[in-house]
Amino acid sequence: MSWSGERSKKTAEALWSWLPDVLQYVNPWLSSLDISAGRRGVREITDELSETNFGIICVTPENQNSTWINFEAGALSKQVDGGYVVPFLIGMKTTDLISPLSQFQAVVGDSKGDVQKLLFDINDVSGGLAIPRERLERAFQRSWPEFENSVRVIGAISSRGGNLNRVQRSEADMTEEILLISRQLDHRLAEIERYARRVDGEPRRPSREIRRISEEKFISSSFAKIGWEAVRSSWEGESVVITAQSSGGHSPSITHDFVERLAKSLGREVVVLGDVGDVIVRSNLP
């Protein structure tokens, strides 16, 4: 777990203490607690980053520009196979994140659903150590109130200089990330197709199906960046129809520019529907 600043450190320490209560096999590592006095801190942190398989970056409004936070995020993304690097947000929404941290799927620390999904993701990549999902859900429900209280207390801490360092994001900045995600999608798709082939060279799964899975992840990630959830998507001829809902009361509206960029990346018309089936916005791409 990576941290920088007081609120970030307290969040990391709360996670370090709480995670093994829910997932007993998890062995979290935190520099402020796990490096002995007299040891070479940077060397030990670098060694630990090279051996980890899941990274959590504790992000607050005042530290996301921190050189150290971004160094560890970059080191984790190079070491962790499959992209299991998660910004854990305190006092922030996902739309507040700036690059490079915004490239990762973030978790809002005071969101019960987000934190539960984080635990499910950790469990899913734990191989033979993983516990049944039903058992994990019961453990989470029992322990959540304790952690929720810790996050609430930490979030209320006034951070000196926090307002001065808070980054205001423009819509252009957020929508530009769609193009970045699209390029990453192309690289990831090539990797999936390569690994999906059997020894005899025949694909285990049709390329069209692989591409559809990647496109759905791309759509979900793009909407999450602007504070919305892509509930479902369907391909109808040359169009993709996306049903979306706002993730919170303060989410910005879906703009035509956002949908146009999405359509350009997907190479097809995009129609966005609300949860009652009404058309919110449609791209001009034929």
Side-chain angles (χ1 to χ4, degrees):
M1 284 175 289
S2 174
W3 61 272
S4 176
E6 187 63 19
R7 284 202 296 177
S8 176
K9 178 183 178 183
K10 287 184 179 298
T11 301
E13 290 175 346
L15 284 166
W16 182 89
S17 175
W18 179 71
L19 283 174
D21 289 343
V22 188
L23 291 169
Q24 288 76 20
Y25 60 80
V26 166
N27 183 29
W29 190 89
L30 178 63
S31 61
S32 62
L33 298 176
D34 293 319
I35 295 180
S36 303
R39 300 293 295 274
R40 298 179 64 180
V42 173
R43 172 74 60 82
E44 190 152 340
I45 290 172
T46 303
D47 291 344
E48 196 66 32
L49 286 175
S50 69
E51 297 176 2
T52 192
N53 60 3
F54 204 109
I56 298 176
I57 313 289
C58 297
V59 186
T60 61
E62 61 272 12
N63 80 355
Q64 68 167 320
N65 273 329
S66 161
T67 301
W68 182 250
I69 282 287
N70 286 289
F71 162 74
E72 289 199 332
L76 282 166
S77 66
K78 289 183 176 67
Q79 295 292 342
V80 179
D81 184 34
Y84 296 109
V85 178
V86 179
F88 192 93
L89 310 184
I90 297 296
M92 299 176 63
K93 305 185 299 293
T94 54
T95 50
D96 294 330
L97 276 178
I98 60 174
S99 186
L101 293 175
S102 58
Q103 299 175 37
F104 305 108
Q105 197 69 34
V107 167
V108 178
D110 60 2
S111 167
K112 185 177 181 180
D114 276 14
V115 177
Q116 183 179 45
K117 185 180 184 303
L118 171 64
L119 294 183
F120 285 163
D121 288 344
I122 295 173
N123 195 54
D124 288 344
V125 300
S126 297
L129 296 174
I131 62 177
R133 177 164 289 212
E134 296 78 9
R135 178 181 162 193
L136 172 54
E137 187 163 0
R138 288 195 301 271
F140 172 77
Q141 295 295 341
R142 288 194 301 268
S143 62
W144 168 251
E146 175 190 353
F147 185 71
E148 181 183 32
N149 183 63
S150 297
V151 170
R152 186 181 296 112
V153 171
I154 293 168
I157 296 174
S158 176
S159 179
R160 184 177 303 170
N163 291 331
L164 296 176
N165 294 328
R166 185 183 292 269
V167 178
Q168 298 296 326
R169 302 194 67 196
S170 66
E171 180 181 297
D173 176 45
M174 289 188 282
T175 53
E176 278 299 323
E177 287 178 8
I178 296 177
L179 298 180
L180 174 61
I181 296 170
S182 181
R183 297 188 188 103
Q184 293 173 333
L185 172 66
D186 289 337
H187 291 301
R188 183 59 178 159
L189 178 62
E191 292 178 6
I192 292 173
E193 290 179 331
R194 183 169 62 252
Y195 286 118
R197 293 185 177 278
R198 298 197 302 259
V199 176
D200 60 7
E202 293 298 321
R204 291 193 181 102
R205 175 181 284 169
S207 295
R208 182 177 298 175
E209 183 180 348
I210 294 172
R211 182 171 293 276
R212 182 62 49 79
I213 292 171
S214 296
E215 286 178 340
E216 288 177 349
K217 289 183 178 179
F218 166 61
I219 291 169
S220 176
S221 179
S222 297
F223 274 82
K225 297 297 182 187
I226 63 167
W228 283 70
E229 178 185 0
V231 179
R232 58 183 171 274
S233 54
S234 60
W235 277 253
E236 302 175 3
E238 296 301 315
S239 301
V240 57
V241 179
I242 304 166
T243 301
Q245 64 183 22
S246 173
S247 298
H250 303 292
S251 297
S253 59
I254 299 176
T255 66
H256 190 266
D257 183 55
F258 170 82
V259 174
E260 282 297 319
R261 291 172 184 270
L262 195 64
K264 181 178 179 181
S265 297
L266 292 170
R268 66 185 75 209
E269 181 191 40
V270 171
V271 180
V272 181
L273 306 179
D275 53 10
V276 295
D278 55 313
V279 176
I280 298 177
V281 64
R282 178 192 300 264
S283 71
N284 293 330
L285 187 68

